[in-house]
Amino acid sequence: MAAATVLTMVCAVSAVTGCGKNVTEDRVAPSSTSSAPTGTTTTSTPSITVSSVGEHDRIVTSPGAEPLMAGIRAADPCSMLDIEPLPSMNLGTKSVLREGPGLTGCQLRVGDHVGEPGSKEALYLFELSLGEVYDDDDRARDKAETVNGHTIYRSRLADERTAADTCYYYVPAGNSGYAHRLRLRKIPPDGAPANTPWPEKCDVEKSYVGKIIDRLNTLAPRGKPADGKALYGKDPCAARDAVQARYNDWTLNSVGWIAPYHCQLSFGESGAKYSLQVDLEYRLDAEQKVSAGLDGGPYRAAGLSGIILRSTVYGPVPSRCAVSLTYRPSSDGRLNGHLIRLAIDWTALPGAQYGDPDHPTDGSYPPLPFDACADVGDFSTAAVRAAG
C-alpha cells in the first residue's frame, strides 16, 4: 500500500484527533542569554552525488528497517536537540523542550519570552521527527546539500509561498531510506501577521543541523526509562505472533515499518480475491472520540478503554475494523496520551469486484474470507499484554 493510502486509512480510523500535531509537557529550564537572530551568507554548493535508496515499499520492508526502528525507539528525541549552541545563534534568551509530535518527536522553542502570554517578540520553533521514510522520489524533488561532510536535504516545501517563515531539512539515516526531519519556523508575536518572510530561515536551520548531526547519526539510547506508564521504547509489532497464528493458512508477504512505532503486516493467499493488512501502532495523542456518522462506539480490551470503528466496503460484513485504546491518558488538555492502535483491513484485488466471472456485470463482491472485526478483541488483548 502506498504511503498516502496508509496515511488516509490510519487517519480515518482514528476519528477526530488522530492525525493532529502533538505537543506535551515542558522538559527543560531556560537557557542562557542572547539577542536578535542573525543569518549566515548563502554560498553556492558544488554538485553532490546522491546514492539510490529505492521506493517506499522496498524501504519499509527491507531487512535493515526493523533494527533501525528499534534503535530509534531506544533513543530520546529530546536528547537530540542541543540547547548549548543557542546563545551564539542569537535567537533568544530562553529555551523550552517539549515532547512530540509523536513518540519520536521533540520541539525546541527559543525566544526571549517563551511561555509568556502576550509577547511582542517572535519566537523560534525547532521541530524534530525521527525515522521518516524518505525515498528516491522525495530526494529527487528536494535539494541535496552538505554540512560537516554529511549530505542533507533541504525540502522543496521551504520554497513554497505558504512557508515563507519556515524551512525543512532531512538528515538521512545512513543509506536506509529513512531520514530525520527538522523543521524551523519563526513564530510571530501575538497580533502580528503569520507567514512573514524570513530570508535567513534555511541558513539558520542548516547551521543548527550541523551542530546536532552527530547526535542524529549516533542515536544514543535513553539514559533512564521514561517516567510512569509509557510506550516509549516498546515494540508495536510484539503482538504479531497472535495475528500470524489467526491467519496461519495465509502467507505473511511482508512486515513493513511505516514508522518506528508503526508496524504493518501484509498477508496474501494463492487464488484469493482479497489481500489483508494489519496495522499495529503506538501513538502520542489525546484519547479518541467517535464522530457522528461513523460506525463505531466505546470499546474495552484487557482493562483499557477506547473506541472501535467499523467499515463495510464489500458487503454487509465489516471489511475494516480498528480500535484505539488509551494506554496512558492525556493530561492538562495536552496531546500527551499514549495510545495503542490496531487496524484490520481487507482489500479487494483486481477483478474481484464483479464476483463470479459468469456474471461480470452484477456489481457484487465475493464473500470476505473473515469478518474484519471477528478477531479484533483477541488482537487487542494481545497488543495490550505485549505493551506490558
Side-chain angles (χ1 to χ4, degrees), residues 34-39 86 89-96 107-114 121-127 165 183-189 198 200-201 204-205:
S34 62
S35 55
T38 57
L86 297 177
M89 297 179 69
N90 297 322
L91 298 178
T93 59
K94 298 179 181 178
S95 61
V96 173
Q107 297 181 341
L108 171 60
R109 294 171 182 262
V110 187
D112 290 324
H113 302 282
V114 172
E121 297 183 23
L123 62 87
Y124 302 85
L125 171 65
F126 292 92
E127 184 179 85
D165 59 358
R183 177 173 76 105
L184 171 61
R185 182 190 171 208
K186 183 178 181 180
I187 301 176
W198 181 27
E200 302 90 357
K201 59 182 184 178
V204 174
E205 183 178 11

Side-chain angles (χ1 to χ4, degrees), residues 214-276:
D214 288 342
R215 295 186 180 200
L216 293 174
N217 289 332
T218 303
L219 290 176
R222 291 177 182 269
K224 63 177 182 178
D227 295 335
K229 187 175 183 180
L231 291 171
Y232 289 118
K234 296 180 179 179
D235 181 0
C237 222
R240 79 193 211 187
D241 287 349
V243 178
Q244 286 184 257
R246 177 64 181 91
Y247 304 119
N248 59 357
D249 291 336
W250 288 62
T251 299
L252 178 62
N253 291 328
S254 65
V255 178
W257 286 96
I258 310 305
Y261 288 96
H262 186 170
C263 163
Q264 188 177 87
L265 310 177
S266 296
F267 294 85
E269 184 182 39
S270 178
K273 299 292 186 180
Y274 294 89
S275 63
L276 170 64

Side-chain angles (χ1 to χ4, degrees), residues 53 56-62 64-66 68-69 72 130-135 139 170-181 255-260 262:
V53 294
H56 180 278
D57 290 347
R58 189 199 70 78
I59 290 168
V60 301
T61 58
S62 66
E66 187 166 359
L68 175 61
M69 299 297 100
I72 292 174
L130 301 177
E132 295 188 0
V133 179
Y134 191 62
D135 61 17
R139 295 177 180 217
Y170 286 88
V171 178
N175 205 43
S176 65
Y178 293 88
H180 312 305
R181 181 175 69 95
V255 178
W257 286 96
I258 310 305
H262 186 170

Side-chain angles (χ1 to χ4, degrees), residues 5 12 17 22 35 45 47 56 70 104-105 124 147 164 169 187-188 201 216 262 274 278 328 335 349 360 383 387:
T5 305
T17 61
N22 309 306
S35 55
T45 26
S47 176
H56 180 278
T104 58
Y124 302 85
V147 63
Y169 271 98
I187 301 176
K201 59 182 184 178
L216 293 174
H262 186 170
Y274 294 89
V278 179
R328 186 178 82 181
L335 306 182
L349 296 173

